Amino acid sequence: MSILVIAEHDNNTLKAATLNTVQAAVALKNAGAGEITLLVAGENCGGAAEQAAAVAGVSAVVVADNAALAHQLPENMAPLLVNLCQTSGYSHLLAAATTTGKNLLPRAAALLDVAQISDITEVVSSDTFVRPVYAGNALATVQSSDTVKAITVRGTAFTAVEASGGNAPVTQHDGAAESGLSRFISEEMSVSERPELTAARIIVSGGRGMQSGDNFPMLEKVADKIGAAVGASRAAVDAGFVPNDMQVGQTGKIVAPELYIAVGISGAIQHLAGMKDSNVIVAINKDEEAPIFRVADYGLVADLFDVLPELEQAL
Amino acid sequence: MKVLVAVKRVVDANVKIRVKADNSDVELNNVKMAINPFCEIAIEEAVRLKESGVAEEVIAVSIGDTACQEQLRTALALGADRAIQIDTAQTLEPLAIAKLLNAVVEKEQPGLVILGKQSIDGDNNQTGQMLAALAGMPQGTFASQIKVEGDEARVTREVDGGLQQVAIKLPAIVTTDLRLNEPRFASLPNIMKAKRKPLEVITTDALGINTAHRLSTLKMTAPAEREPGVMVANVAELVEKLKTDAGVL
Ligand SMILES: Cc1cc2nc3c(=O)[nH]c(=O)nc-3n(C[C@H](O)[C@H](O)[C@H](O)COP(=O)(O)OP(=O)(O)OC[C@H]3O[C@@H](n4cnc5c(N)ncnc54)[C@H](O)[C@@H]3O)c2cc1C
Ligand SMILES: Nc1ncnc2c1ncn2[C@@H]1O[C@H](COP(=O)(O)O)[C@@H](O)[C@H]1O
């Protein structure tokens, strides 16, 4: 048995989610699933490969550097993964449960004719895993009978391994080809000075109660005082207050910071699914019946337009 | 071109599901069922493609027992032209669903297949990507915009960092995200009309596909409950508690 982890990166740097995924691989290794190889597939991805080799717990790094992999389109990436599994006999294929991992891994799993186990939160043994279903209202323990276990990993459930300390040998693999099926056109990435949602220690999230995108700066001022990331509910995103990548929830981002402050968010099942594993939850809502109070450690029934300026002052 | 839409019957999004006392499964008796919200968005997009003259026919397909005909009728009421039920009493895994859908794709030869990005019961987020692999087609997942231009579709995708645009060659697979559109409500006349639209039933056996499970669910447990919290009177008390009691500030 052996484990292949797909590194998430932008060719230059490794994304934080990779370190959480490697932690799940370490749990598998401890359960007897063999050594860990990290795959860095991209174009001119030497920077990311160098960082990959330093990740603690990794035994080998495979680099696939090819123009066809510049944007890691799944049509080109999935055959590469199949090729690697067939030539190197990996028994476990792991990716982060990010939009990149979710896009790619099922395509590779289907080509390998194996099931995928999505969004695992626990490794029970080399073939048995725990994963949340029904918006986190149930936890399924599932056992796989497939020869290759294709798994996506929920980052919040595994602490990041050290980014340094390792010294894995790097080998090149040139099995990639252009499928001709898809083309990358463009990307509009949000630029923010604030921490990334999934890696932040503190998150301040706004919901429909914020009334408009123009009011979000009130929330951002509070966030900046305490070095927090800013999140949102689906309602706030749908209404165009903030961009889609800020959505926390069942079908958005899953977060579990030290402190989550929900402002003007009612606490629908789908929102709770994305944040109820936070360490400390604060709810600020003018409706004392709001379901968010049922998961909150500290609740404040008040008008957010009074509270936010006061909070900014008090912090 | 034909557009094929995959529709799943799931527990209604407003239901808070509970785990059975014997930890074998979740309680699904007498629970309200509905069309998976992402599939509703998929139907809406297909119907809009037909209304704008890009598509000629919209076919809805669902895999499940007779009960899923209810969701197929909803799809027909929302504007699909005909429906296909692949009849099975089993709850199938995404890989098996993708194989069955691929058989329908081979038969119907659609130019575009639209699926939801995720079923809100199993939270798998797999089937569209798997179908794309099996059909040898490109995939535009988590779509917030689809434009068909000549022999390709331009898809805007909701990704973790923002938005990404890709061009995929037709025939192609698209999966829907929440911002793709806002589904319409079915009107009473359309609900009546839907009753007369064709609904074909195919058995899984007839498709000759091995749908054996690869995963077995050993148990189903409830997540840990959070400890009850406290209410604070004002901002000063809140900040004080966060600093001293919780130690997070
Ligand atoms: C398929 C599907 C997927 C979904 N995925 C997600 C998801 O990933 N994430 C997500 O968040 N939602 C998701 N939802 C939507 C979810 O069901 C809720 O509709 C949404 O979370 C509601 O957002 P909200 O709490 O901001 O809005 P509302 O429910 O409208 O709540 C607004 C709250 O603000 C309070 N408020 C208003 N004014 C003030 C004020 N001045 N001061 C203080 N409080 C105030 C109100 O009392 C209310 O509680 C999904 C739904 C579906 C069907
Ligand atoms: N039983 C089914 N019948 C029809 N379509 C399905 C079925 N299961 C899944 N799908 C489709 O696949 C999408 C993603 O589901 P999943 O991969 O289970 O999260 C759904 O939104 C549907 O479009």
Side-chain angles (χ1 to χ4, degrees), chain A residues 103 113 118 183 186 247 253, chain B residues 141 152 160 165 179 214:
Chain A
N103 189 31
D113 194 29
S118 295
R183 277 181 302 128
S186 63
Q247 180 181 314
K253 286 196 175 118
Chain B
T141 54
E152 59 180 32
D160 286 336
Q165 279 86 32
R179 262 66 63 177
R214 310 301 185 80

Side-chain angles (χ1 to χ4, degrees), chain B residues 120-137:
Chain B
I120 62 161
D121 50 3
D123 285 332
N124 303 306
N125 198 330
Q126 301 176 9
T127 308
Q129 298 87 315
M130 287 185 158
L131 173 60
L134 300 175
M137 293 181 192

Side-chain angles (χ1 to χ4, degrees), chain A residues 247-274:
Chain A
Q247 180 181 314
V248 170
Q250 179 189 15
T251 60
K253 286 196 175 118
I254 308 287
V255 301
E258 282 286 298
L259 173 60
Y260 187 91
I261 306 179
V263 184
I265 293 178
S266 62
I269 297 168
Q270 294 83 7
H271 189 78
L272 300 185

Side-chain angles (χ1 to χ4, degrees), chain B residues 189-202:
Chain B
N190 284 343
I191 293 171
M192 299 312 288
K193 253 200 282 180
K195 292 187 177 152
R196 292 188 304 274
K197 288 186 179 175
L199 192 160
E200 179 190 0
V201 180
I202 309 177

